[in-house]
Amino acid sequence: MVPSRAQRIELRERNEKWLSPPLRIEMLECINCDACLRACPPQFGAIFNHGPDVVIIPELCSGCDKCLPVCPVNCIYPFEDWVQTGSPDSWWQEPAGPNDPYL
Ligand code: SF4
Ligand code: SF4
């Protein structure tokens, strides 16, 4: 069975059936417009405001590319060499609480 987003958040693991690499945001280029956050489908819900940054949690990102065309500065890139080492604990606070933008 395909794990739900809630399960991915709980386990902090990417769906191993996702073949595309996750994406990442180049923070030095990002202008914090939040367009990508709104474009990410809620069943993935991978993009968050985190302090002054906008971040993609790779474990939640399917690589569907829906965020790419909306970025006005093209600062979202494939994270080709991503390996599951665990996103920072502080990132996981964003989808864990009542402020999860995808709930
Ligand atoms: S590639 Fe898809 S799942 Fe990943 S952050 Fe972009 S819109 Fe969300
Ligand atoms: S759409 Fe691009 S510039 Fe806007 S917040 Fe997302 S990554 Fe940053």
Side-chain angles (χ1 to χ4, degrees):
M1 202 174 101
V2 176
S4 67
R5 179 176 182 265
Q7 289 169 315
R8 288 193 288 279
I9 292 169
E10 190 183 335
L11 299 171
R12 300 188 178 187
E13 285 179 4
R14 200 164 186 256
N15 183 349
E16 61 186 19
K17 295 202 171 70
W18 289 342
L19 299 178
S20 299
L23 303 190
R24 66 174 187 86
I25 293 170
E26 179 51 62
M27 293 180 192
L28 294 174
E29 299 170 17
C30 172
I31 59 170
N32 296 50
C33 71
D34 288 357
C36 57
L37 196 156
R38 291 189 294 271
C40 185
Q43 68 267 32
F44 303 131
I47 310 181
F48 301 91
N49 281 300
H50 182 63
D53 300 319
V54 182
V55 300
I56 295 175
I57 295 184
E59 288 89 342
L60 302 181
C61 171
S62 70
C64 74
D65 289 354
K66 288 207 162 47
C67 54
L68 285 178
V70 303
C71 179
V73 295
N74 295 322
C75 68
I76 307 176
Y77 301 95
F79 201 158
E80 298 285 359
D81 53 357
W82 179 80
V83 286
Q84 171 101 36
T85 55
S87 292
D89 275 346
S90 65
W91 288 19
W92 286 106
Q93 301 311 309
E94 307 298 353
N99 296 325
D100 184 344
Y102 299 98
L103 292 182

